[in-house]
Amino acid sequence: MTTVSHHNIVDFIEDIIERRGSESYLGEVVSMREHFLQAADLAARDGASDSLIAASLLHDVGHYTSEFGENAIELGIDNLHQDAGASVLVDFFPPSVVQPVKMHVDAKRYLCAVEPAYFDGLSPASVQSLAAQGGPFDKSEVESFESSPWLDDAVRLRRYDDGAKVQGRSTPGFSDYVELLRSLVMTPD
Ligand SMILES: [Fe+2]
């Protein structure tokens, strides 16, 4: 198995998505690849920063942590896909990419607490996973979430995530984001 480094992280992720992107996205009508690309495209159309476009594209990379082999074990990955995604990205991408990924599930719990109409718009699969994720935030969880400097980006990513489930929507491909992703990869000191 290839060891992941800052030299090959973008190719490594592209390879995973090429091989496994046609798997269906957690009970939704789109494939994983369509879901990632739609999320990135929604971010780009919304005028998001490069970091937030990258976060939108990579937000569910935590579903593939077994692909990261030794790195995954080293990084102490658990089964929560948002933490797993952040863990595999943290060595290679800045906090502006990693933090919104890490917070994208909590952002759903946050929005369910503060925006009643948000819950009504969730897909059936997303409502089902909400319970397993802990349900809507309570008041103190809302306050603590709002104190994060990444609140705005995490909520924006969440909305792109929720919107990225449209059957048959055409988008740019992964290769259209390679340059943007490479520009964000951190080089070790
Ligand atoms: Fe997602």
Side-chain angles (χ1 to χ4, degrees):
M1 187 178 272
T2 320
T3 303
V4 195
S5 74
H6 70 282
H7 293 296
N8 67 5
I9 180 66
V10 176
D11 298 328
F12 190 85
I13 291 171
E14 183 170 21
D15 173 66
I16 296 172
I17 293 173
E18 243 161 53
R19 285 185 292 107
R20 299 192 51 190
S22 56
E23 292 170 13
S24 78
Y25 177 64
L26 313 171
E28 306 285 356
V29 294
V30 289
S31 69
M32 294 295 268
R33 183 192 294 107
E34 289 170 309
H35 176 63
F36 305 155
L37 294 174
Q38 287 186 20
D41 193 41
L42 288 172
R45 288 170 186 275
D46 191 40
S49 64
D50 283 359
S51 292
L52 190 52
I53 294 170
S56 302
L57 183 62
L58 304 178
H59 74 275
D60 280 329
V61 76
H63 288 297
Y64 300 117
T65 45
S66 58
E67 300 273 351
F68 285 76
E70 285 174 20
N71 296 61
I73 294 158
E74 240 171 67
L75 295 164
I77 279 163
D78 59 32
N79 291 322
L80 297 170
H81 86 276
Q82 69 277 19
D83 289 340
S87 300
V88 297
L89 298 175
V90 73
D91 279 353
F92 311 111
F93 292 97
S96 54
V97 176
V98 176
Q99 287 303 321
V101 171
K102 192 176 172 63
M103 292 167 69
H104 83 274
V105 169
D106 280 351
K108 174 166 93 171
R109 301 179 61 199
Y110 169 73
L111 284 168
C112 285
V114 301
E115 213 180 277
Y118 174 80
F119 177 84
D120 299 334
L122 288 178
S123 66
S126 205
V127 170
Q128 202 174 16
S129 59
L130 175 67
Q133 289 156 349
F137 273 166
D138 64 24
K139 194 165 174 289
S140 70
E141 289 168 324
V142 164
E143 280 168 11
S144 129
F145 197 72
E146 285 179 340
S147 70
S148 166
W150 305 107
L151 170 69
D152 184 49
D153 278 359
V155 166
R156 287 176 70 177
L157 169 48
R158 184 70 228 180
R159 296 192 198 277
Y160 308 144
D161 184 5
D162 294 327
K165 300 173 180 178
V166 180
Q167 202 165 21
R169 181 186 281 166
S170 68
T171 63
F174 188 92
S175 59
D176 293 297
Y177 298 99
V178 163
E179 206 177 310
L180 177 150
L181 291 174
R182 289 216 171 104
S183 75
L184 291 165
V185 173
M186 302 181 300
T187 41
D189 320 310

